[in-house]
Amino acid sequence: MCGRFTLRDPRRAKFDGKPVGGLLNLVPRYNIAPSQSVLAITTRDGGPEASFYQWGLVPSWSSDAKGFINARAETLQQKRSFSESFERRRCLIPADGFYEWKRSGKSKQPYYFQLRDKGTFAFAGIWDHWQGDGRSIISCAIITTTPNELLVSVHDRMPVMLAPSSQRAWLNTEATPAQLTALLVPFPAAEMTAHPVSNEVNYAMVDHEHLVERCEPRPLAQPTLF
């Protein structure tokens, strides 16, 4: 899954390898969490359009506003919650890193994953528009896939990360399901790095640059004989 990510320099957000305009007033984010607003990119008249969506996709037909932060690539076309959005409402969610937690017994150690060059990429996303109870919510979910060699020792899922060469293809309104599914694969591990970080990332109210800094894992408690 993907439950937290970063966009440390929103001005570096790109579409098809080119900067996205209109992002000068955004602030750096080091701990983007579910239910918060996230930057998303769609296309209008062939060019990129930046918007803010709530992270946690609420299907348009849902009876309440409960959302899904992730959607599994393997079942996008089968799950009613995601199938129509996969077909008609796809988006890119710019990021430059994300966190995953490695479980060991009852404890979990967070790790930060990023590109080797610390550059910006985009998650493959889907979105929907829900209305009810006097509210109107445009929301999104990040698609996940099987882990690459770097992730596999930490978690059994990873977000789909799209390189610039794949981003336009993901938003192509004429793409077939087979062409889209072919994009939903693990990102090359050789192009990524990872390191342990502070457990402070567990708290959504903490949003500071120190969260992405290396922090050696706490030693596991040793079992006692008595």
Side-chain angles (χ1 to χ4, degrees):
M1 74 179 280
C2 178
R4 300 286 175 85
F5 67 95
T6 65
L7 186 55
R8 295 167 294 179
D9 190 350
R11 295 171 298 178
R12 297 180 64 191
K14 297 180 179 181
F15 169 69
D16 203 23
K18 301 177 182 178
V20 178
L23 304 180
L24 297 179
N25 295 325
L26 300 185
V27 298
R29 297 294 309 281
Y30 301 92
N31 195 12
I32 301 172
S35 80
Q36 296 178 354
S37 292
V38 299
L39 180 65
I41 297 172
T42 55
T43 55
R44 181 187 293 270
D45 300 326
E49 180 176 80
S51 305
F52 283 95
Y53 296 163
Q54 176 180 293
W55 184 14
L57 185 140
V58 182
S60 59
W61 47 262
S62 179
S63 60
D64 57 41
K66 182 179 179 179
F68 301 89
I69 66 171
N70 294 150
R72 295 175 69 95
E74 299 89 336
T75 55
L76 276 173
Q77 297 179 71
Q78 290 76 44
K79 292 289 185 68
R80 184 189 176 201
S81 298
F82 311 128
S83 58
E84 185 178 340
S85 291
F86 171 64
E87 180 181 349
R88 302 180 182 180
R89 294 181 293 272
R90 297 181 299 278
C91 63
L92 302 170
I93 301 173
D96 48 28
F98 61 93
Y99 302 95
E100 289 292 1
W101 283 256
K102 182 176 183 178
R103 182 181 294 277
S104 180
K106 294 183 178 180
S107 64
K108 292 193 294 184
Q109 171 65 50
Y111 283 77
Y112 184 63
F113 294 85
Q114 62 184 329
L115 299 183
R116 285 193 174 277
D117 64 4
K118 300 183 180 180
T120 303
F121 52 88
F123 296 128
I126 54 176
W127 65 275
D128 208 339
H129 185 190
W130 179 87
Q131 297 181 80
D133 300 327
R135 292 184 292 168
S136 177
I137 300 174
I138 301 178
S139 57
C140 63
I142 294 172
I143 299 173
T144 66
T145 186
T146 53
N148 62 22
E149 297 89 344
L150 185 65
L151 264 292
V152 70
S153 65
V154 175
H155 203 277
D156 61 359
R157 303 293 295 176
M158 72 174 291
V160 174
M161 303 162 59
L162 297 177
S165 59
S166 300
Q167 293 173 10
R168 184 173 291 274
W170 177 246
L171 298 185
N172 182 5
T173 58
E174 298 182 356
T176 67
Q179 290 171 328
L180 295 170
T181 300
L183 301 173
L184 305 179
V185 295
F187 198 81
E191 299 179 25
M192 299 176 60
T193 63
H195 59 263
V197 294
S198 167
N199 282 291
E200 283 189 272
V201 73
N202 295 335
Y203 304 97
M205 71 287 292
V206 181
D207 193 347
H208 190 274
E209 60 184 344
H210 74 263
L211 292 179
V212 303
E213 297 174 358
R214 177 181 291 273
C215 179
E216 293 305 316
R218 291 180 300 178
L220 298 178
Q222 297 297 317
T224 60
L225 297 179
F226 305 98

